[in-house]
Amino acid sequence: MSATLYCNPLPLPQLPRGRYSGQPTAFEQQFDLPDAFCIFFGKDRPDFRESGDVEVLHYQPDGCWYLFGSSRAGDSVYRSRDFLTWEHFQISLTAGNGYAPAVTQRSGKVYLSFSLSPLYEADHPLGPYHSLGYLCDQRGAKLKAWLDPALFTDDDQRMYAYWGYGPADGGLFGAEIESLYPPVIKGEPTFLIDFNREHLWERFGEANEDPDFSSLEGASMFKHEGRYYLLYSANGAGFRNYAEGCYIGSSPLGPFEYARSSPFARQSTGIVNSCAHGGFVRGPDNQVWYFYSTCIRQRHEYERRIGRDRVFFNAAHEPQVCISASPRHLDGSDAGLLPVSVNKRVDSSSHEAWNIDRYAIDDCTHTWWQPAFNDPQPWLTLELRREFALRAIRILWSEVNLDYERGILPEPVKYRLDFYRRGESEPSRTLDFSDQQEDLVVDFRTFAEIPAQRVRLTILQG
């Protein structure tokens, strides 16, 4: 099996703690929030892990890719040297908010910010970072609605900022950054776009049923062949049909024209859904890729993972992305591997409450199989009905008992896979991961072809 395959959601190691999990942070407590936000800021919030609202920086000095995503502290960064495997690093930040990162490089420096956060500067994507202060207007006032920001450096090294939320905060805005010491924009903010009820996919709700409201957010800027692509997301990050759209302009601040391919990324069913709030980046061979959030939704509606897929441009220079949930080659082409487990027959050693074994294979992220708490060595057996040539596995682990305050922390899951040929009672092959040392909440592995009709997963620890 080729070592140049990836599969969504991406198997990022040591996924960080979710933004709205556990006790509210000191940063959260400084806001007087309405009752509508109690689901996020209430005191009885289950722990979960996430990374979303992703931005990837291709750092020119070392040629590596650095992935930044939303989390509780915003201090997790991933580095890839080959655009396939990712290493986890922690950075140190002075502010307490780590949601919706914005990152760019300019003149040998790296600049990073988050929603409602200062602008940080570093000599390297992994830091150390120091705060330059909040981005302000010409009068010295903090920019209004510094939410879901984006940073962009043009070829002439002029830097731009994008931010906002529509329609509640008036839409998305942009400005050139005139000074970094302290951070100040040039002139007045430029209005860019807002919710357009004629774009039906932008309308709020799972069925886009609300013609008068949306969550238009997640600005990102990318330049390709002399054109400026203003990406944005709608219609609400908690919905399965959350999607990504685009406006195209001839300068960083527009004017912009709506791309008729919008939403160019949308997937509302299956393991990989709610695919939005991301950005473009150049990968190997200068190909353009789209990194995006995708929802799990087991412990919280914003429990998310990261996906990626290749970007293609049509004759009108508009982006198009085919969201994938099966293995792909590094160039984005389909590896030809089909899922053979969905809704097949299954048996298990036990289950807890309503979390029956069939939920392990129903192609749905917000249901899961949970063994009984007193099951010493849980197992799940999958009957494929006929013999297949198996070449890869993908397991999305559930973490229903996480509790950081009580010391119940993430750990590597140790397990074994036994493969049985048709009519055999003893396994013909075994893949033993009992020495697993890497903490992977999404586990994707390829291997040499194994013919099998039954597969048994035995959880040894975790």
Side-chain angles (χ1 to χ4, degrees), residues 4 6 27 43 49 100 173 181 185 194 203 212 215 220 251 282 309 330 334 356 369 387-388 398 405 424 438 443 455:
T4 61
Y6 74 91
F27 178 85
K43 292 185 178 180
R49 293 200 280 172
F173 295 82
Y181 313 104
I185 65 169
D194 199 358
R203 295 181 179 186
D212 300 316
S215 291
S220 184
S251 75
R282 295 197 183 278
D309 280 297
L330 185 56
D334 193 339
I356 60 175
W369 167 55
E387 195 167 277
F388 289 95
S398 295
E405 273 77 26
E424 292 185 350
E438 195 168 34
D443 200 340
V455 181

Side-chain angles (χ1 to χ4, degrees), residues 230-341:
L230 175 63
L231 310 186
Y232 70 102
S233 301
N235 59 353
F239 297 120
R240 288 172 295 189
N241 64 356
Y242 191 45
E244 191 85 8
C246 176
Y247 282 76
I248 305 173
S250 57
S251 75
L253 297 177
F256 292 99
E257 182 177 345
Y258 182 67
R260 290 174 296 176
S261 65
S262 299
F264 66 82
R266 187 181 194 181
Q267 177 66 32
S268 60
T269 60
I271 290 292
V272 183
N273 63 81
S274 189
C275 306
H277 203 149
F280 290 169
V281 67
R282 295 197 183 278
D285 301 322
N286 212 35
Q287 296 172 342
V288 180
W289 289 77
Y290 174 53
F291 281 74
Y292 52 86
S293 309
T294 179
C295 267
I296 296 296
R297 243 186 250 95
Q298 291 180 1
R299 304 285 281 168
H300 192 279
E301 66 173 297
Y302 287 175
E303 182 180 6
R304 296 172 296 172
R305 306 292 182 258
I306 301 296
R308 66 176 243 205
D309 280 297
R310 177 89 180 274
V311 181
F312 296 91
F313 296 87
N314 63 22
H317 311 287
E318 299 170 332
Q320 295 176 314
V321 173
C322 180
I323 300 297
S324 71
S326 58
R328 300 265 168 160
H329 291 293
L330 185 56
D331 64 1
S333 61
D334 193 339
L337 300 181
L338 299 176
V340 298
S341 59

Side-chain angles (χ1 to χ4, degrees), residues 115-141:
S115 291
L116 305 174
S117 291
L119 182 65
Y120 296 95
E121 181 184 69
D123 293 326
H124 188 273
L126 299 180
Y129 285 91
H130 66 276
S131 173
L132 301 179
Y134 289 87
L135 191 57
C136 295
D137 62 21
Q138 290 283 318
R139 293 172 291 278

Side-chain angles (χ1 to χ4, degrees), residues 352-394:
E352 185 71 29
W354 55 267
N355 299 100
I356 60 175
D357 47 27
R358 292 198 61 80
Y359 288 158
I361 55 167
D362 63 354
D363 201 37
C364 182
T365 55
H366 60 271
T367 57
W368 65 94
W369 167 55
Q370 183 177 337
F373 286 114
N374 61 356
D375 191 338
Q377 196 168 97
W379 56 262
L380 182 142
T381 299
L382 181 64
E383 169 59 56
L384 302 177
R385 193 175 180 181
R386 57 154 293 166
E387 195 167 277
F388 289 95
L390 305 181
R391 299 179 182 177
I393 61 161
R394 177 187 56 199

Side-chain angles (χ1 to χ4, degrees), residues 4-206:
T4 61
L5 296 183
Y6 74 91
C7 190
N8 295 319
L10 299 181
L12 300 177
Q14 295 176 254
L15 207 69
R17 191 180 185 185
R19 174 69 175 87
Y20 298 112
S21 68
Q23 295 298 314
T25 65
F27 178 85
E28 296 171 31
Q29 294 172 1
Q30 66 181 298
F31 299 100
D32 182 20
L33 295 167
D35 291 341
F37 282 83
C38 65
I39 187 173
F40 305 132
F41 294 91
K43 292 185 178 180
D44 299 320
R45 305 187 303 185
D47 273 316
F48 65 94
R49 293 200 280 172
E50 73 163 327
S51 188
D53 311 324
V54 57
E55 285 287 341
V56 178
L57 177 70
H58 186 204
Y59 186 56
Q60 302 300 331
D62 63 13
C64 295
W65 291 268
Y66 293 84
L67 185 154
F68 297 78
S70 286
S71 65
R72 185 174 174 90
D75 58 356
S76 284
V77 180
Y78 294 89
R79 180 179 68 189
S80 179
R81 301 180 187 275
D82 58 6
F83 212 59
L84 283 171
T85 55
W86 298 87
E87 306 170 83
H88 177 263
F89 296 88
Q90 276 194 296
I91 58 176
S92 178
L93 301 170
T94 55
N97 188 39
Y99 228 55
V103 63
T104 191
Q105 56 189 325
R106 174 180 179 266
S107 302
K109 301 287 186 179
V110 176
Y111 297 91
L112 174 67
S113 190
F114 300 87
S115 291
L116 305 174
S117 291
L119 182 65
Y120 296 95
E121 181 184 69
D123 293 326
H124 188 273
L126 299 180
Y129 285 91
H130 66 276
S131 173
L132 301 179
Y134 289 87
L135 191 57
C136 295
D137 62 21
Q138 290 283 318
R139 293 172 291 278
K142 292 181 185 178
L143 294 181
K144 178 186 176 183
W146 183 247
L147 300 170
D148 291 359
L151 297 170
F152 169 73
T153 302
D154 208 348
D155 299 334
D156 59 7
Q157 295 302 294
R158 293 163 70 181
M159 189 189 301
Y160 298 83
Y162 305 84
W163 69 95
Y165 180 85
D169 288 315
L172 303 188
F173 295 82
E176 183 177 352
I177 298 178
E178 181 179 75
S179 167
L180 290 167
Y181 313 104
V184 176
I185 65 169
K186 181 178 181 179
E188 294 297 320
T190 299
F191 169 78
L192 302 176
I193 63 171
D194 199 358
F195 165 54
N196 185 338
R197 61 183 294 165
E198 300 303 315
H199 302 158
L200 300 185
W201 70 274
E202 294 181 10
R203 295 181 179 186
F204 192 80
E206 196 67 79

